Amino acid sequence: MKKHVEIESQIKDFIGKYSINLDYDQMRAMSRTHGNTLVLAVPGSGKTTMLMCRTAYMVRCLGIDPRSILVVAYNVSAAQDMPARYERMFGYIDEGLSFKTIHAFARSVILKYNSQPFRLIESMTPALLEIYKSFYDKAPSDDEISDISGGITYVKNMMLTDEQIKESIDISGVDFLKIYKAYEQYKRINRLMDFDDMLKFALTILRSKPNIAEYYRSRLSHICVDEAQDVSLLQHRLIFELAKGKSMFMVGDEDQSIYGFRAAYPKALLRFRDIYPDSELFYMQNNYRSTAPIANAAADFIATCKNRYNKHMNAVRGEGEPVDFLEFSTIRSMAEHIAEAARHGEVAVLYKNNSSALPIADYLEKNNIPFKVRGSKTDHFTDEVSRDIKCFLRLAKDASDTAAFSRIYYKLSVPIGKDKMRKAVGRGGNVFDSLTALDMEKRYSGKIKSLKRKFNFLKSIERADEALDYIINDIGYGAYVDKRAARRRDAMRQKLNVLMQISRGGMTPDELQYRFEVLEKLLEDGGCDIENSNLTLSTIHSAKGQEFERVCMVDVVEGILPEENKTAPGEEADNEEDKRIFYVGITRAKNKLEILSLTGREKVYPISRYLRIMKKTIEGESEPQTEEYREGSSVEHNLFGRGLVLSIDDGIALIDFEGLGKKRISLAHCKAMRVI
């Protein structure tokens, strides 16, 4: 006990020297400088601050050689941020102190073994494109390449056998195992490695070369791992080999493990005491970020997961505004609410899939509202669905566009084989006339003629939204989508819904395609008038580690959150990873959390079961707020005073305020902000 008191006093003196405030749990965790340790830290608990303090305390107070400490960061960005943060907190970086990604460490092991072992592949895509074409005689979609490369990363990091691969990886229309083996052979022939190969090779070296393993173990006596919940099985195995007989210090939170698609392995945290005998667990349960309504709702929600430690989040900041569940009849009224909120302070719109950002970004740009985008892809309209829709419109405009026809021929309501497609393309001219001429037995000529008439009619449609509806429901594209595997089908249906939302407003099909180009460039640039923006659009994954004054969660619906028929590796059918994704999203909020939903004709998916769970845990649950004002109603606005509602369109009211004139205002926002 005396020794414990002395250590506590020593730590207090140390952090006081640098004007750092730590609570009891943080100091207790940082006092554990030897032995195997797992620190479980809830969102907003200051885990990285604690890790930096522990590292500096070990070096500057205990006299531990900084060259013997390795701090493992989850990604390159974190590995770069850590030394910068360390320097800000403690004035300078101690010579020899190492902050690395696990991939950077693996590379150093390989170079120690062989100074010229390989050439590194920066991207799998070029090799996979050629392999795919050699098997299927066509170019893959961006989605297919993404699924294949993601599958390869997953397979290697989960260390799967061929049989396990067959059971785990299912990509519609693709023999994944065949492509994977061809990819591995391609690398062997050309003496190449990808990033995941480095991990595998480094693990093999440490296991088979005792001299190299001892070299690192003799020099690194303290291994620290941040964001341990995001570490893959392969990475855990590599860290375990390195840490044999040394002090292992892991910091993480299994509740925030959201990278299952990258083979994150939170089970290693749950089995920590089995993997590292004589280890100790510490808890950091004080949340300094969110107010009590947000933190309590989040804690109660994540408690419904089974595979977790029994911990609870304490809201240090105390009471605040309640969590709001708001409903809107259109994307437009939802976007107006978001824009109005951003005029009053910092707002983040969070979603699971990048596609969710498109209708909101579309509205914001059209109305010159500044916003920025975090972690957005630059290929929003090069996915299968977007490319298909473009080809339908092109073929309607020009029936001799063989490139468009070659892409969508098997996605039409009439079955057209590959041989017939090639013959029709080879004849040139109108592809429908060519198909009719090739049908010597006249079995399909009537259907082909009907299809030709449909494309002629599509050409005559002047409104983009009506054209998309016709493509989906009359030409047969919707039926094609519905035949895809469940996970792929849901993603394609979501994208069709997004494109339909963007197409509304009376634009022509040609204008719609131009709009795609505008939005693509906008998102590639990271937003609109970024410097003057209080508004951030971000996936939940990109927002991890961030915090915002106000968070608006969108597309919390069945089929997205949670994703149907998807279970993260090693989990129950309840799909706990999607629960954790939602949990990470809502815990980004500091002062205000809103869950925004659509009603009416733009409501495509049912409300997520997660909202039902959450509402049950919130004391004094209220019904979703909806528009209830009428033309002719008198209103009182906190800023603008008394006014008369002249008209209401899609939740936007035109109000004539006494002395100020007419203003357009989102009623949903006014009610949420309690200003009317």
Side-chain angles (χ1 to χ4, degrees), residues 11 25 119 165 179 251 323 335 379 453 466 471 534 551 652:
I11 290 174
D25 289 345
R119 285 189 299 122
I165 292 172
I179 290 178
V251 185
V323 177
D379 55 354
R453 287 194 296 271
E466 293 177 0
I471 291 168
N534 285 327
V551 166
I652 307 299

Side-chain angles (χ1 to χ4, degrees), residues 352-641:
K352 183 182 178 185
N353 298 335
N354 271 296
S355 291
S356 299
L358 294 174
I360 298 171
D362 180 54
Y363 173 87
L364 296 173
E365 193 273 339
K366 284 179 178 176
N367 291 275
N368 298 312
I369 298 167
F371 70 97
K372 50 182 170 283
V373 184
R374 285 184 60 89
S376 177
K377 299 191 304 179
T378 57
D379 55 354
H380 290 276
F381 300 103
T382 60
D383 61 282
E384 180 182 359
V385 171
S386 298
R387 290 168 67 184
D388 286 349
I389 294 298
K390 292 175 186 176
C391 286
F392 274 101
L393 296 174
R394 282 168 49 193
L395 191 60
K397 197 171 184 179
D398 179 8
S400 64
D401 189 334
T402 55
F405 175 68
S406 299
R407 178 173 177 85
I408 62 172
Y409 73 93
Y410 61 95
K411 303 176 183 182
L412 306 173
S413 56
V414 178
I416 302 170
K418 184 181 290 186
D419 289 341
K420 277 194 175 183
M421 177 275 292
R422 286 175 172 170
K423 290 176 181 177
V425 168
R427 290 172 67 97
N430 187 300
V431 294
F432 302 110
D433 292 342
S434 296
L435 286 169
T436 302
L438 288 166
D439 188 20
M440 304 302 294
E441 299 178 14
K442 309 298 181 184
R443 290 185 299 171
Y444 296 109
S445 58
K447 293 181 179 179
I448 295 297
K449 289 176 181 177
S450 174
L451 191 62
K452 179 181 178 180
R453 287 194 296 271
K454 287 181 178 180
F455 271 88
N456 285 334
F457 183 76
L458 176 60
K459 183 180 180 179
S460 70
I461 298 176
E462 296 180 355
R463 287 174 57 106
D465 54 348
E466 293 177 0
L468 262 63
D469 184 77
Y470 193 76
I471 291 168
I472 296 166
N473 296 310
D474 292 89
I475 297 183
Y477 191 63
Y480 164 78
V481 169
D482 289 340
K483 291 177 183 176
R484 302 305 91 198
R487 186 176 180 184
R488 185 80 195 107
R489 180 193 64 226
D490 290 343
M492 294 177 77
R493 277 289 180 186
Q494 186 196 7
K495 193 54 175 279
L496 282 173
N497 179 48
V498 166
L499 298 184
M500 184 65 77
Q501 290 169 340
I502 295 172
S503 71
R504 294 192 177 109
M507 68 176 73
T508 66
D510 285 345
E511 289 171 338
L512 177 63
Q513 296 197 69
Y514 176 70
R515 189 64 187 158
F516 292 166
E517 295 174 10
V518 171
L519 288 173
E520 192 73 81
K521 181 64 167 63
L522 178 70
L523 296 169
E524 184 179 344
D525 293 341
C528 173
D529 194 10
I530 300 171
E531 296 77 13
N532 298 314
S533 174
N534 285 327
L535 176 57
T536 299
L537 308 184
S538 175
T539 63
I540 297 170
H541 289 87
S542 295
K544 191 168 180 288
Q546 303 296 309
E547 57 184 29
F548 307 93
E549 293 294 327
R550 181 175 186 161
V551 166
C552 299
M553 296 280 292
V554 300
D555 275 353
V556 187
V557 296
E558 296 291 320
I560 299 177
L561 263 179
E563 183 178 320
E564 292 297 328
N565 301 308
K566 172 202 157 224
T567 302
E571 295 198 343
E572 304 293 333
D574 194 31
N575 190 3
E576 294 200 343
E577 179 161 292
D578 269 353
K579 281 188 175 181
R580 297 195 296 264
I581 291 171
F582 181 62
Y583 173 73
V584 168
I586 61 181
T587 54
R588 300 310 94 194
K590 295 168 66 176
N591 296 321
K592 184 66 181 175
L593 173 63
E594 297 176 335
I595 316 291
L596 312 185
S597 305
L598 287 173
T599 62
R601 70 187 182 107
E602 293 193 9
K603 179 182 177 181
V604 177
Y605 302 96
I607 297 297
S608 172
R609 70 195 76 169
Y610 296 170
L611 299 193
R612 295 194 295 273
I613 295 171
M614 203 171 173
K615 286 179 180 180
K616 288 179 182 179
T617 67
I618 297 175
E619 191 174 277
E621 175 191 340
S622 60
E623 293 297 315
Q625 301 178 36
T626 57
E627 295 100 340
E628 63 197 32
Y629 294 102
R630 301 286 186 271
E631 293 180 15
S633 298
S634 296
V635 296
E636 187 76 24
H637 194 283
N638 286 352
L639 295 177
F640 306 142

Side-chain angles (χ1 to χ4, degrees), residues 213-478:
E214 182 55 33
Y215 171 85
Y216 284 100
R217 291 172 190 153
S218 64
R219 286 160 174 76
L220 297 172
S221 54
H222 296 272
I223 315 299
C224 312
V225 181
D226 195 19
E227 302 289 0
Q229 74 279 348
D230 297 327
V231 176
S232 73
L233 175 62
L234 175 58
Q235 292 167 350
H236 273 293
R237 294 277 173 85
L238 180 57
I239 292 167
F240 176 81
E241 286 298 325
L242 177 64
K244 282 183 176 178
K246 307 300 176 182
S247 290
M248 167 56 64
F249 189 84
M250 282 192 176
V251 185
D253 180 11
E254 79 285 0
D255 290 337
Q256 297 184 73
S257 181
I258 61 173
Y259 291 105
F261 63 96
R262 295 181 188 169
Y265 193 68
K267 189 179 288 187
L269 301 192
L270 298 171
R271 295 183 56 241
F272 188 83
R273 281 179 162 164
D274 297 328
I275 300 169
Y276 297 94
D278 302 320
S279 57
E280 286 195 26
L281 266 59
F282 291 81
Y283 292 87
M284 289 170 48
Q285 299 183 106
N286 291 328
N287 178 304
Y288 294 92
R289 174 185 300 151
S290 306
T291 56
I294 299 169
N296 292 340
D300 290 342
F301 174 80
I302 200 64
T304 63
C305 285
K306 299 175 184 176
N307 301 306
R308 64 187 298 270
Y309 286 99
N310 185 23
K311 55 185 181 295
H312 192 79
M313 187 159 49
N314 305 312
V316 176
R317 293 182 55 207
E319 293 302 314
E321 293 188 61
V323 177
D324 280 340
F325 302 88
L326 307 179
E327 291 185 349
F328 301 87
S329 59
T330 64
I331 282 287
R332 176 185 168 185
S333 58
M334 179 187 290
E336 175 62 25
H337 166 75
I338 292 167
E340 188 66 25
R343 295 187 183 102
H344 297 272
E346 182 187 49
V347 178
V349 179
L350 304 185
Y351 37 82
K352 183 182 178 185
N353 298 335
N354 271 296
S355 291
S356 299
L358 294 174
I360 298 171
D362 180 54
Y363 173 87
L364 296 173
E365 193 273 339
K366 284 179 178 176
N367 291 275
N368 298 312
I369 298 167
F371 70 97
K372 50 182 170 283
V373 184
R374 285 184 60 89
S376 177
K377 299 191 304 179
T378 57
D379 55 354
H380 290 276
F381 300 103
T382 60
D383 61 282
E384 180 182 359
V385 171
S386 298
R387 290 168 67 184
D388 286 349
I389 294 298
K390 292 175 186 176
C391 286
F392 274 101
L393 296 174
R394 282 168 49 193
L395 191 60
K397 197 171 184 179
D398 179 8
S400 64
D401 189 334
T402 55
F405 175 68
S406 299
R407 178 173 177 85
I408 62 172
Y409 73 93
Y410 61 95
K411 303 176 183 182
L412 306 173
S413 56
V414 178
I416 302 170
K418 184 181 290 186
D419 289 341
K420 277 194 175 183
M421 177 275 292
R422 286 175 172 170
K423 290 176 181 177
V425 168
R427 290 172 67 97
N430 187 300
V431 294
F432 302 110
D433 292 342
S434 296
L435 286 169
T436 302
L438 288 166
D439 188 20
M440 304 302 294
E441 299 178 14
K442 309 298 181 184
R443 290 185 299 171
Y444 296 109
S445 58
K447 293 181 179 179
I448 295 297
K449 289 176 181 177
S450 174
L451 191 62
K452 179 181 178 180
R453 287 194 296 271
K454 287 181 178 180
F455 271 88
N456 285 334
F457 183 76
L458 176 60
K459 183 180 180 179
S460 70
I461 298 176
E462 296 180 355
R463 287 174 57 106
D465 54 348
E466 293 177 0
L468 262 63
D469 184 77
Y470 193 76
I471 291 168
I472 296 166
N473 296 310
D474 292 89
I475 297 183
Y477 191 63

